Amino acid sequence: TQLLEQSPQFLSIQEGENLTVYCNSSSVFSSLQWYRQEPGEGPVLLVTVVTGGEVKKLKRLTFQFGDARKDSSLHITAAQPGDTGLYLCASRGGTSYGKLTFGQGTILTVHP
Amino acid sequence: DVKVTQSSRYLVKRTGEKVFLECVQDMDHENMFWYRQDPGLGLRLIYFSYDVKMKEKGDIPEGYSVSREKKERFSLILESASTNQTSMYLCASSPPLTLSGNTIYFGEGSWLTVV
């Protein structure tokens, strides 16, 4: 099972600040997904990255996949209180089952 | 709209009880999963199923079993609940994986407390 190390575990910032969350592995990802989870709900997919060096943008969120496909980052510009939640990176297995292995998660709190 | 429904949101059970957590999806997905979520540990895979009556162990199957008699329904069973199984349980489903990575859809979760 691939191990994903996510950092930081907790992030508490003021509205308007920028932040970056990291996801690392000792082995190569076949693909990597980022999820966001709000309290009382299940995780919801934000993005999937597949190609090394890939950059995807989702409004104020920028996702980057490392060239060697062993790390990824999520950058949020000008964070808002609505960004508060648990952010999870996950790697899908290479079989057709595609079971997800998750990082520990980053709990983000954005204060007004 | 895509829907994964977990029948119970909150349960309180006694140690030693048999517990059933039910999950139904309406997307005709082949793959279904059960995860548990604990603070600081992320989500850990308990069991998954890629077809009716087929099941595979995940990373932490001990103390759990599953049943998939129909494509749309995947049940998680705790034969004899213990306090260390107090957790949030998440069901998910997905179609077969493609290179671009199909979305996995999660239910809202079931909070189980074993006392």
Side-chain angles (χ1 to χ4, degrees):
Chain A
T1 301
Q2 185 168 26
L3 294 177
L4 277 69
E5 294 289 330
Q6 205 172 326
S7 62
Q9 192 171 352
F10 301 96
L11 207 47
S12 180
I13 62 172
Q14 294 297 127
E15 183 176 0
E17 291 184 20
N18 301 332
L19 66 111
T20 303
V21 177
Y22 300 93
C23 180
N24 297 285
S25 174
S26 57
S27 51
V28 175
F29 297 117
S30 55
S31 66
L32 190 102
Q33 297 184 325
W34 284 94
Y35 287 79
R36 178 165 170 261
Q37 184 178 17
E38 296 191 33
E41 299 182 9
V44 176
L45 178 68
L46 294 173
V47 76
T48 301
V49 287
V50 178
T51 307
E54 186 175 3
V55 177
K56 284 191 174 180
K57 293 195 173 188
L58 190 65
K59 297 183 181 177
R60 293 175 294 101
L61 278 62
T62 301
F63 304 87
Q64 191 154 3
F65 202 17
D67 292 339
R69 290 163 51 214
K70 295 172 73 173
D71 60 275
S72 180
S73 64
L74 157 61
H75 182 79
I76 301 179
T77 304
Q80 299 176 1
D83 295 327
T84 293
L86 174 66
Y87 290 82
L88 295 153
C89 67
S91 175
R92 290 201 76 171
T95 67
S96 64
Y97 320 141
K99 61 175 185 167
L100 282 172
T101 300
F102 284 87
Q104 312 98 305
T106 296
I107 298 174
L108 170 65
T109 305
V110 182
H111 302 279
Chain B
D1 215 9
V2 162
K3 195 76 174 175
V4 177
T5 303
Q6 295 183 229
S7 56
S8 303
R9 290 301 307 274
Y10 302 96
L11 305 93
V12 180
K13 297 292 182 180
R14 294 194 179 277
T15 300
E17 277 193 75
K18 191 169 185 175
V19 181
F20 292 87
L21 299 179
E22 306 285 346
C23 175
V24 176
Q25 51 99 358
D26 64 0
M27 297 160 284
D28 201 36
H29 284 162
E30 286 79 2
N31 299 329
M32 295 190 75
F33 309 85
W34 274 107
Y35 288 86
R36 64 176 281 177
Q37 184 173 26
D38 301 288
L41 296 177
L43 279 74
R44 293 178 293 166
L45 182 64
I46 305 171
Y47 267 96
F48 67 100
S49 169
Y50 51 91
D51 202 352
V52 175
K53 296 191 185 295
M54 306 303 289
K55 60 186 179 183
E56 292 285 339
K57 293 180 179 179
D59 300 317
I60 52 164
E62 296 78 18
Y64 303 93
S65 63
V66 290
S67 172
R68 188 147 182 222
E69 296 297 317
K70 294 184 178 181
K71 191 175 185 180
E72 68 270 18
R73 186 179 297 269
F74 192 35
S75 303
L76 180 69
I77 303 154
L78 287 68
E79 294 289 342
S80 178
S82 63
T83 54
N84 63 12
Q85 292 178 309
T86 291
S87 187
M88 216 263 271
Y89 291 87
L90 283 161
C91 175
S93 74
S94 80
L97 176 70
T98 63
L99 184 61
S100 61
N102 289 110
T103 299
I104 287 185
Y105 298 90
F106 285 87
E108 293 182 319
S110 298
W111 289 93
L112 172 65
T113 301
V114 183
V115 298

